[in-house]
Amino acid sequence: ILASQDMKVAGGFDGAIGTFEKAIQYLDPLRSQLTVPMILIGLEAPKSFRIVHIKGVDHPESIAIGPRGEAYTTGTGCQVYRVDLERNAVSVFASTRNRCLGQAVDAAGNLYCAETVLGAVVKITPDGQLSTYASDPDKRPFMCANYPAFDRCGNMYLSDSGDWSGQLNGGLYKIPPGGGPARLWYSESLDTPNAIALDAAEDYLYFVETFGSAIARIAIRADGSAGVFCLLYTSPSPRD
């Protein structure tokens, strides 16, 4: 876990490795199980900050921020949480049939969650109503829908991590505005793609490779199709 020197000073961290290492102190019983590397890249250090432990969530998976500054996450027990960042409190406002992973929020405050079992993206309205927003393609069903992200035109990109067998069978998909069947966006299989994000100019789609212990990006061409793959960062793999 990496932190800039400025972040260490601002956060009062005295060790060579900063920020999240302190947060993990809340998770002492799980320390031996935390095998996926976490990396902070390109963050500007604030003048001061503090780590706050928000209690009452069941293994939160990702955080999505809504249009009014509200935060959302999901739990292992199919909970869908709304997080009040002012009070550092959570509430369950919906439940899904199966566990969900990554989330994205639209301008109207609707939440979109990657559902791991059904192979779908679930839409959840602010009042907790659920519907299927996107389904897997017929020719290549999702093995583990993991993380969605919107572009400014309303297209959704979605990572599928594959079957977690160690084989390269993950993929990146694209879903048209309004939802519907997904289509494979990048033609080649990928190594357990997990969280994804677009840059501000929407020139690249960035993603984490879990088993590859890497951060990569794929260029987004002017017509919206996938361009060149580039590996940006690698660390020792859990396979080694």
Side-chain angles (χ1 to χ4, degrees):
I1 303 163
L2 309 180
S4 70
Q5 186 60 39
D6 286 344
M7 291 182 75
K8 295 172 193 171
V9 172
F13 303 130
D14 51 6
I17 298 177
T19 58
F20 244 91
E21 184 179 55
K22 299 299 180 181
I24 288 174
Q25 288 179 358
Y26 290 116
L27 305 176
D28 279 336
L30 300 179
R31 271 185 163 182
S32 63
Q33 301 177 38
L34 297 175
T35 58
V36 178
M38 302 178 69
I39 303 154
L40 304 177
I41 292 180
L43 298 180
E44 293 185 5
K47 295 301 181 183
S48 65
F49 63 90
R50 62 193 179 99
I51 295 173
V52 176
H53 183 197
I54 301 177
K55 298 181 179 180
V57 288
D58 176 13
H59 190 103
E61 179 74 35
S62 175
I63 296 176
I65 305 298
R68 293 172 297 280
E70 73 278 20
Y72 299 92
T73 189
T74 58
T76 301
C78 305
Q79 309 96 324
V80 184
Y81 297 102
R82 184 179 286 116
V83 185
D84 184 332
L85 297 177
E86 293 295 325
R87 298 188 300 115
N88 296 321
V90 298
S91 60
V92 176
F93 75 101
S95 297
T96 54
R97 288 180 58 188
N98 301 288
R99 184 187 180 191
C100 289
L101 296 178
Q103 315 102 42
V105 188
D106 67 16
N110 297 302
L111 182 67
Y112 300 82
C113 300
E115 214 268 23
T116 58
V117 177
L118 295 179
V121 176
V122 177
K123 177 181 178 180
I124 307 173
T125 63
D127 63 353
Q129 300 299 309
L130 278 68
S131 61
T132 299
Y133 180 77
S135 56
D136 57 8
D138 293 334
K139 294 183 179 180
R140 178 177 167 170
F142 297 142
M143 286 177 273
C144 181
N146 196 310
Y147 205 103
F150 283 109
D151 67 15
R152 63 172 58 93
C153 294
N155 297 293
M156 176 183 285
Y157 294 84
L158 178 71
S159 64
D160 175 11
S161 295
D163 63 5
W164 301 95
S165 67
Q167 301 298 314
L168 268 65
N169 53 21
L172 290 172
Y173 292 82
K174 194 171 183 180
I175 298 156
R183 64 175 179 82
L184 189 64
W185 180 66
Y186 185 69
S187 60
E188 297 183 28
S189 294
L190 297 167
D191 191 349
T192 50
N194 201 313
I196 64 175
L198 282 73
D199 67 328
E202 298 186 354
D203 291 329
Y204 298 97
L205 178 70
Y206 292 81
F207 60 97
V208 174
E209 294 183 342
T210 301
F211 284 169
S213 297
I215 296 174
R217 74 181 186 189
I218 296 173
I220 302 173
R221 296 180 176 136
D223 63 359
S225 62
V228 176
F229 170 93
C230 178
L231 199 61
L232 300 176
Y233 174 88
T234 58
S235 66
S237 171
R239 297 193 186 97
D240 297 337

